[in-house]
Amino acid sequence: MTIQPQIMGVLNITPDSFSDGGKYFDFNSAIVNAKRMIKQGADIIDIGGESTRPGAKPVSTNDEIDRVIPIIEALHHSIDVPISIDTSKPEVMKLAVEAGASMINDVCALSADDALEAAALLNVNVCLMHMQGSPRTMQNSPVYGNVIDDIKQFFDNRIKACIDAGITEGKIILDPGFGFGKNLNHNLEILKRLSEFKSFGLPILAGISRKSMIGSLLNDRNVDGRVSGSVTAAIIAIENGANIVRVHDVLETKDALMVWQSVNQFKG
Ligand code: YH5
């Protein structure tokens, strides 16, 4: 029996504009937001302290730790859904899992020095995301031979690297990385052919929510106007085999998922 699709709610921890004394406000609003997403139907909370948007400034290891670890600790003691840590840094992975995270979500697919070894030792689920290039340069005219074949090749290489490092294959989740070194046509092809990544026999995660792909399809709509487009894309991803959708708008995605599931499970 395949398990039901899961909703991963995004919790970005970035400093607010009141930098002195702002930490307290940040902490409280993060906890409130996480609890709100769980009430709305989130099955996993993905906590990230570094923005991976094109052109975003890198965050130091210490700053990332200071942002995310207290929040993971507090949530671990007050919620019962799994916590995922969105990081590429092995030190952050280690402290996050010690604080209660049970999944590593790495947009660099454990390519940083010591990341494979850290993940193997921590023995938690790991999401391997495909990215072409680096966050700074990835959207400068990305080119593929064949986008699906290239991503499959990447998954094959990273799965092998994980297994060689001692990571249990059953703990791996694959993510084609929408918007990470992909133009609109690449993103559309990946969404349409998402089921082809099921050939690895591993769960698929899709993160499309609010991304510029949705903005482009809606006449360059701003981020706030991308909810319906994002929900539609999440349901298409699920229809095409995604096991986890990473979203900002949990309530709206959950509504759509419940309607989809009712039809899907109907035996007339
Ligand atoms: C992902 O796809 N994405 S961070 C640009 C936007 C909107 C949203 C306004 N972490 C993924 O969400 N982890 C991010 O334009 C991720 N898969 C996984 N596994 C980027 C993001 C975003 C970027």
Side-chain angles (χ1 to χ4, degrees):
M1 198 198 87
T2 50
I3 59 153
Q4 298 305 318
Q6 300 207 308
I7 296 177
M8 170 185 265
V10 179
L11 189 66
N12 282 325
I13 318 291
T14 43
D16 59 65
S17 39
F18 318 96
S19 52
D20 62 318
K23 273 189 178 165
Y24 184 65
F25 172 80
D26 246 357
F27 179 88
N28 281 324
S29 60
I31 303 292
V32 168
N33 272 330
K35 291 185 174 173
R36 178 182 48 86
M37 289 194 286
I38 292 163
K39 261 207 188 116
Q40 293 176 339
D43 302 290
I44 307 168
I45 299 292
D46 186 43
I47 302 182
E50 180 180 35
S51 175
T52 37
R53 289 184 189 191
K57 273 206 212 105
V59 175
S60 75
T61 304
N62 281 341
D63 282 356
E64 204 178 318
I65 288 169
D66 289 347
R67 285 183 196 176
V68 298
I69 301 303
I71 290 163
I72 295 173
E73 261 166 10
L75 285 176
H76 179 57
H77 293 291
S78 58
I79 64 170
D80 51 16
V81 309
I83 298 168
S84 153
I85 174 68
D86 187 342
T87 191
S88 300
K89 299 188 178 82
E91 297 89 339
V92 181
M93 294 172 190
K94 183 169 178 292
L95 291 173
V97 172
E98 282 169 5
S102 57
M103 173 170 170
I104 297 167
N105 173 26
D106 184 1
V107 299
C108 296
L110 305 176
S111 64
D113 286 349
D114 304 325
L116 282 166
E117 293 72 17
L121 221 65
L122 295 168
N123 199 32
V124 293
N125 293 327
V126 292
C127 178
L128 305 175
M129 198 196 77
H130 174 270
M131 167 163 39
Q132 185 181 83
S134 67
R136 203 170 52 82
T137 57
M138 63 190 180
Q139 289 308 96
N140 305 339
S141 343
V143 177
Y144 292 87
N146 175 306
V147 70
I148 305 295
D149 292 349
D150 289 9
I151 294 172
K152 277 189 169 179
Q153 188 61 58
F154 172 86
F155 285 155
D156 210 47
N157 293 339
R158 294 316 292 161
I159 292 167
K160 288 201 172 89
C162 284
I163 291 170
D164 286 348
I167 294 171
T168 313
E169 190 169 10
K171 294 207 177 290
I172 300 174
I173 297 161
L174 302 176
D175 180 345
F178 286 94
F180 285 84
K182 283 107 186 164
N183 64 28
L184 178 59
N185 283 330
H186 297 140
N187 288 319
L188 288 171
E189 183 162 7
I190 294 165
L191 184 53
K192 185 151 195 180
R193 298 176 61 187
L194 195 68
S195 64
E196 296 184 35
F197 301 120
K198 303 292 279 180
S199 61
F200 293 92
L202 296 172
I204 306 294
L205 188 152
I208 313 172
S209 179
R210 295 189 186 173
K211 286 186 179 170
S212 57
M213 165 187 185
I214 302 298
S216 306
L217 294 172
L218 302 175
N219 263 312
D220 294 322
R221 189 76 56 78
N222 66 23
V223 175
D224 296 334
R226 297 178 187 174
V227 179
S228 303
S230 298
V231 170
T232 306
I235 294 300
I236 295 168
I238 288 168
E239 184 78 29
N240 290 346
N243 304 89
I244 305 172
V245 286
R246 181 181 179 278
V247 308
H248 301 83
D249 305 291
V250 173
L251 178 91
E252 292 83 353
T253 308
K254 179 72 179 179
D255 280 358
L257 181 56
M258 288 197 294
V259 173
W260 178 85
Q261 273 177 318
S262 302
V263 176
N264 202 46
Q265 294 168 351
F266 181 72
K267 301 198 195 340

